[in-house]
């Protein structure tokens, strides 16, 4: 329930330090390159990340540092995504259980 309330409030405003702009841009450009198994994200396809135009536009001297930053973001994104999935399952069980209890009470 909390996740829905937070989502309804809109995104949080945050300040991004200039040294993190390149990593955020790259992450946003390759966020469609996540691999999934059993309905859960397992990580980015690094070959596709490195082949992405956004990665190639980076100066060669910056590429590995920015890539490492994206890997940090990747782990955080996976943790948050999995936590939200667990919360949604709990909510679904609660609502399904409440509906079942309500139906049984009417019988």
């Amino acid at each position: 329930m909390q996740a829905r309330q937070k989502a309804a409030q809109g995104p949080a405003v945050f300040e991004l330090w200039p040294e993190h702009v390149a990593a955020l841009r790259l992450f946003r450009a390759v966020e469609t390159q996540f691999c999934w198994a059993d309905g859960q994200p397992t990580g980015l396809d690094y070959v596709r990340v490195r082949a992405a135009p956004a990665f190639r536009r980076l100066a060669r001297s910056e590429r590995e540092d920015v890539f490492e930053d994206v890997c940090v973001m990747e782990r955080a994104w996976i943790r948050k995504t999995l936590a939200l999935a667990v919360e949604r399952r709990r909510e679904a069980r609660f609502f399904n259980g409440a509906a079942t209890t309500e139906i049984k009470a009417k019988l």
Side-chain angles (χ1 to χ4, degrees):
M1 189 69 162
Q2 292 174 354
R4 288 186 187 157
Q5 290 171 344
K6 288 179 185 176
Q9 294 172 358
V13 176
F14 63 93
E15 187 174 330
L16 186 64
W17 292 355
E19 60 266 24
H20 298 137
V21 170
L24 180 61
R25 283 186 180 146
L26 179 58
F27 185 81
R28 296 290 305 196
V30 300
E31 65 187 344
T32 60
Q33 301 306 318
F34 270 93
C35 298
W36 293 72
D38 295 325
Q40 298 181 351
T42 59
L44 285 166
D45 182 335
Y46 293 153
V47 172
R48 291 181 179 177
V49 170
R50 291 178 184 279
F55 184 79
R56 301 268 178 207
R57 277 194 296 272
L58 295 169
R60 287 183 188 265
S61 60
E62 294 178 10
R63 287 180 182 173
E64 292 309 310
D65 289 337
V66 172
F67 181 75
E68 287 178 21
D69 291 344
V70 167
C71 290
V72 170
M73 295 171 72
E74 167 195 32
R75 289 188 295 273
W77 186 88
I78 290 171
R79 275 194 309 274
K80 183 66 174 178
T81 300
L82 294 176
L84 288 172
V86 167
E87 188 174 330
R88 285 187 195 116
R89 281 193 294 268
R90 282 188 194 136
E91 286 179 6
R93 274 190 238 130
F94 172 77
F95 288 119
N96 288 339
T100 303
T101 304
E102 190 176 306
I103 291 169
K104 286 180 182 177
K106 291 181 180 181
L107 296 176

